[in-house]
Amino acid sequence: MAMAALRREGRRFAPLISPHPMAAIRSSIVPAEEQAPLGVRSISTQIVRNRMKSVKNIQKITKAMKMVAASKLRAIQAKAENSRGLWQPFTALLGDTPSVQVKKDVIVTISSDKGLCGGINSTSVKISKALNKLNSGPDKETKYVILGEKAKAQLIRDSKKDIVLVLTELQKNPLNYTQVSVLADDILKNVEFDALRIIFNKFQSVVAFLPTVSTVLSPEIVEREAESGGKLGELDSYEIEGGETKSEILQNLAEFQFSCVMFNAVLENACSEQGARMSAMDSSSRNAGEMLDRLTLTYNRTRQASITTELIEIISGASALEG
C-alpha cells in the first residue's frame, strides 16, 4: 500500500526533476500540436530588433542623401538661372520652331548618371520615344545622342541601332560653359543633322520640373526657312556688316546657339535631378519613420506576449505543485 502511494507520488513529481523541468510543465499544460520550440519567442523579438536597426540605418542614409542633394542644388541653381539669359537672344532672333519638318532629326536626350531621383529620367526617355515616333517616316531619319547613364540604359534596349553618340559622367566635375561647349562641339562634328531636338527637365521648384524640348536648326534649314518666308522670315531684315557672308554667320550662330542651349539644358536638368532626389529622399525618410513606428509596436507586443506567457507558465507550475 505504501509502495503504491510512493509510486503515484513519484509519477506526479517526475516532470519537476527532469533535465528540462519548464519543458515538462509546458507539455503538461499546452497540447503537443500548439507547442513551439524553446527559444522561438526570443528569436522573434531578435528578428524584429534587427529589422528596426536596419530601418534606422536606412533612414540615416536617406536623410544624409537629402542634405547632400540640397547642398548641390544650391550650388547649381544660381548657375541655371543665370544661363537662361544665354539662349533667349537666339530664340528672339532665330525662333524655336519644333514644328519644322526636316529629313534628319537628332534627338539629344539629357538624363542623370545616378538614380534615386524620381521619374525625371523616365520622363525624358518617354518624350524622346514619342518624338521619334512623331518624326518617323519613309524619307526621314531619326537618331539619338544620349547624355547620362540612365537614358542610355533605357534607350539601348529597343533603339540601339539609332544611337550615334553616348556621353556620360557630365557631373563628375562642376559644370561650366567650357566643358559643355566641348561636348557640343563633339556632337556637331560627329553627327549629321537638319534639326537638333534637346530634351531636358526645366527646373521650376524643388517639387516640380517641366519636361522641355528645344530645337536648334542647321544653318541650311535656317536659311531655307528665312527664304521661304516662314517663321524665320524676319531674319533678312537684319543688316550684315563685315566681310562674312550670310552662310558663315548662320554657321557661327547655329554652333553658338547649340552650345548655349546645351549649357542651360544640362544645368536645368541637374537642378531638376537634385530637387527630385531631395523629394524622393524626404519621402523615403518619412516612410522609414512610419515603418519604424510599426516595428516598434510589433516588438512591444511580441515582448509583452512573451512576458505574459512566461507568467502564465510560472503560475501554472505553482498551481501544479500546490495540487
Side-chain angles (χ1 to χ4, degrees):
M1 193 74 170
M3 291 299 295
L6 183 59
R7 282 195 296 273
R8 286 196 301 271
E9 293 297 319
R11 285 194 298 270
R12 178 180 174 184
F13 290 102
L16 302 181
I17 60 176
S18 64
H20 302 286
M22 187 57 68
I25 294 174
R26 291 178 71 244
S27 63
S28 63
I29 299 172
V30 184
E33 61 273 11
E34 298 180 6
Q35 292 184 26
L38 285 174
V40 167
R41 288 186 297 274
S42 61
I43 294 174
S44 176
T45 54
Q46 183 65 34
I47 290 173
V48 177
R49 195 157 49 239
N50 290 340
R51 184 69 183 276
M52 291 170 62
K53 185 177 179 181
S54 300
V55 173
K56 285 180 181 178
N57 292 337
I58 292 172
Q59 190 179 40
K60 290 178 182 178
I61 293 172
T62 54
K63 287 182 177 179
M65 290 183 68
K66 178 186 174 182
M67 294 175 65
V68 171
S71 176
K72 290 182 177 180
L73 177 61
R74 283 193 295 270
I76 301 173
Q77 187 174 357
K79 289 184 179 180
E81 291 174 351
N82 293 332
S83 69
R84 292 172 185 171
L86 287 175
W87 57 267
Q88 289 172 353
F90 292 102
T91 303
L93 176 63
L94 303 175
D96 190 351
T97 54
S99 60
V100 173
Q101 297 296 319
V102 295
K103 291 183 178 180
K104 293 182 180 180
D105 266 309
V106 175
I107 299 173
V108 183
T109 305
I110 300 177
S111 68
S112 65
D113 291 317
K114 299 179 181 179
L116 300 177
C117 53
I120 65 168
N121 298 316
S122 300
T123 302
S124 297
V125 170
K126 287 178 181 177
I127 294 176
S128 301
K129 291 181 178 179
L131 200 58
N132 186 5
K133 186 176 180 181
L134 182 66
N135 294 327
S136 61
D139 299 329
K140 295 182 179 181
E141 182 183 12
T142 303
K143 297 295 183 181
Y144 287 109
V145 171
I146 300 174
L147 279 70
E149 286 286 351
K150 291 304 176 179
K152 172 189 171 184
Q154 295 186 48
L155 288 173
I156 205 170
R157 299 172 189 168
D158 52 2
S159 304
K160 186 175 181 180
K161 60 183 179 61
D162 296 327
I163 299 174
V164 294
L165 189 61
V166 177
L167 302 170
T168 58
E169 297 184 356
L170 295 181
Q171 299 185 47
K172 191 174 182 179
N173 298 314
L175 292 170
N176 55 60
Y177 181 77
T178 303
Q179 176 188 358
V180 176
S181 62
V182 171
L183 296 177
D185 190 52
D186 289 340
I187 295 173
L188 293 174
K189 287 180 179 179
N190 295 298
V191 178
E192 294 183 2
F193 68 94
D194 290 333
L196 290 163
R197 320 279 186 179
I198 301 103
I199 299 174
F200 62 98
N201 295 286
K202 186 175 182 179
F203 179 77
Q204 291 187 319
S205 68
V206 175
V207 295
F209 57 89
L210 181 66
T212 306
V213 180
S214 292
T215 304
V216 177
L217 302 177
S218 66
E220 296 80 10
I221 301 299
V222 171
E223 193 167 0
R224 186 195 73 184
E225 290 293 316
E227 291 175 354
S228 63
K231 295 183 178 180
L232 303 179
E234 297 180 358
L235 187 62
D236 289 331
S237 62
Y238 293 90
E239 295 182 2
I240 298 175
E241 297 180 356
E244 293 182 342
T245 63
K246 182 179 179 180
S247 298
E248 291 174 344
I249 291 177
L250 287 177
Q251 181 70 32
N252 294 333
L253 281 175
E255 293 178 359
F256 190 40
Q257 179 190 13
F258 180 57
S259 62
C260 291
V261 171
M262 279 288 294
F263 182 52
N264 175 253
V266 169
L267 288 174
E268 294 279 3
N269 200 80
C271 281
S272 300
E273 175 193 350
Q274 299 303 335
R277 184 170 288 119
M278 281 182 62
S279 299
M281 293 301 102
D282 183 58
S283 298
S284 298
S285 299
R286 289 200 304 270
N287 291 339
E290 294 174 1
M291 185 179 292
L292 194 59
D293 292 339
R294 292 195 298 269
L295 287 172
T296 302
L297 183 61
T298 302
Y299 174 77
N300 291 335
R301 286 179 176 175
T302 304
R303 188 167 60 88
Q304 188 62 43
S306 175
I307 294 172
T308 304
T309 304
E310 290 177 2
L311 287 174
I312 291 173
E313 290 176 351
I314 292 171
I315 294 170
S316 301
S319 299
L321 289 175
E322 291 177 358

